[in-house]
Amino acid sequence: MVLEQVRTEAPAEIVVSVSAATDTGGRPDNEDAVLKVALEMSGVGDAGTHPAYLVAVADGMGGHQRGEVASQLAIETLGRMVAEDPGADTALLLKQAFRRANDVIHQNGRGTGDGSIIGTTLVAAVIRGKYATIANIGDSRAYLVRANQLTQITRDHSLVADQVAEGSMTSDEARQSPHRNIITHALGHRQKLDPKLPSIFEIILLPEDRLILCSDGFHDVVQDSDMVAVVLEHDPPGAVGALIDLAKTLGTTDNVTAAVVRVDSAKTIAARERDLDAVPAGRSSWLVILVVTGIILFVAIVIVAVMVL
Ligand code: CA
């Protein structure tokens, strides 16, 4: 995937639409949590003229349904911090929000007094105009669909992802590994988050791009080619529903969460609306035929009249 390509493109006015949902999938309870909010952001440059969005997926873990406490705390803390300080540098804001969420979840885990540890993954995207800033910890992922190709934006903090990076395992082996769900970093597990975390990725969106955020209950079972086909076929609400249904049909044994961001050019949307307003083609061509027939008849009558006289 050639991300540098974006620098050669003329700045395009874009319109972003977002949808997200979570489902118990193959389990009785849901320890995943999802967030999708429109933000009031005083943007920098042309980002300020577009609506901004925060989208996030968290996948909690901990005994006695305590995983859902961790994922909810992550989503709530992130949502509150981003909404409170919308004008800030987005990457810095996400780093601070992840750190705060880590503190809140760690304290909550200790507060039970039974020595249980709770934690959660978190992947979050802030979209301001054409600028997307993505942060992650754990193995919930963000993907980019561009020119019919899927690129994984985030890198998992997991045992198998580290082995793939070292070259001791292929990505196909990682997908099949019984250890594929062992994560190396999560929010809430340690008192202080590793200073290198969360990982931050910044991309410039292009018209026709799609972003997918998802938990491992989704990406463990759904193939890359199916993700591309579904998001290109449906609008975001339809795509989210179809992606979750697909993961369940494929027999996921985990909770399933997916969020989809679609990027359109403002020109494409305006053209679509103009087409809807235009006179139907059938009616306009009938008008042309009537007028032409009228002219031919008139000329014929004049010729006959001249000949007779
Ligand atoms: Ca999961």
Side-chain angles (χ1 to χ4, degrees):
M1 212 53 245
V2 192
L3 288 182
E4 301 84 65
Q5 185 190 357
V6 298
R7 298 202 183 97
T8 63
E9 292 276 334
E13 279 246 14
I14 60 162
V15 178
V16 171
S17 44
V18 184
S19 194
T22 184
D23 193 286
T24 51
R27 289 193 179 170
D29 301 301
N30 198 346
E31 296 191 315
D32 283 4
V34 69
L35 176 72
K36 183 209 90 175
V37 281
L39 301 168
E40 296 290 329
M41 277 193 155
S42 53
V44 178
D46 65 349
T49 62
H50 297 281
Y53 291 96
L54 166 65
V55 197
V57 170
D59 177 354
M61 62 216 89
H64 312 290
Q65 283 94 49
R66 296 272 295 149
E68 64 185 67
V69 174
S71 58
Q72 281 298 334
L73 284 174
I75 291 289
E76 284 167 20
T77 308
L78 174 75
R80 193 173 57 248
M81 284 195 64
V82 173
E84 272 173 10
D85 199 2
D89 169 80
T90 310
L92 185 63
L93 181 61
L94 283 171
K95 280 182 189 171
Q96 289 167 340
F98 272 58
R99 249 158 242 299
R100 180 76 191 123
N102 184 76
D103 294 347
V104 170
I105 296 162
H106 188 74
Q107 280 164 18
N108 189 289
R110 288 163 59 97
T112 56
D114 61 1
S116 67
I117 294 173
I118 61 170
T120 185
T121 71
L122 183 61
V123 58
V126 172
I127 296 129
R128 309 171 73 170
K130 63 184 175 184
Y131 303 101
T133 309
I134 292 154
N136 84 300
I137 182 164
D139 65 355
S140 294
R141 292 180 182 168
Y143 291 94
L144 172 70
V145 177
R146 177 172 289 171
N148 293 316
Q149 284 192 53
L150 189 81
T151 307
Q152 188 179 325
I153 299 170
T154 52
R155 199 191 122 194
D156 295 346
H157 304 118
S158 73
L159 204 60
V160 293
D162 289 351
Q163 288 173 324
V164 170
E166 287 164 7
S168 58
M169 186 182 264
T170 67
S171 22
D172 279 344
E173 286 166 349
R175 194 182 261 274
Q176 304 298 329
S177 167
H179 305 301
R180 65 184 180 278
N181 301 120
I182 299 174
I183 58 175
T184 49
H185 293 284
L187 292 180
H189 278 178
R190 298 190 186 118
Q191 191 171 5
K192 286 285 164 214
L193 206 56
D194 186 312
K196 296 191 295 293
L197 295 174
S199 305
I200 300 279
F201 306 85
E202 292 180 301
I203 59 172
I204 296 178
L205 297 169
L206 292 177
E208 314 306 329
D209 280 354
R210 310 287 196 284
L211 292 177
I212 302 171
L213 271 61
C214 56
S215 60
D216 63 345
F218 173 81
H219 64 69
D220 262 1
V221 293
V222 179
Q223 296 294 315
D224 294 2
S225 55
D226 288 334
M227 290 189 216
V228 175
V230 169
V231 296
L232 293 182
E233 188 182 337
H234 301 276
D235 63 6
V240 163
L243 290 173
I244 289 176
D245 286 349
L246 181 60
K248 288 162 75 175
T249 306
L250 292 169
T252 186
T253 54
D254 198 355
N255 304 139
V256 186
T257 304
V260 172
V261 176
R262 185 174 77 180
V263 183
D264 284 301
S265 88
K267 278 184 193 160
T268 309
I269 289 194
R272 228 179 270 155
E273 282 166 3
R274 269 202 307 278
D275 286 349
L276 287 174
D277 292 341
V279 176
R283 205 192 303 165
S284 60
S285 52
W286 274 110
L287 272 175
V288 171
I289 291 167
L290 270 177
V291 169
V292 170
T293 312
I295 292 170
I296 291 169
L297 267 176
F298 177 77
V299 171
I301 290 166
V302 169
I303 290 169
V304 169
V306 168
M307 285 170 70
V308 170
L309 293 172

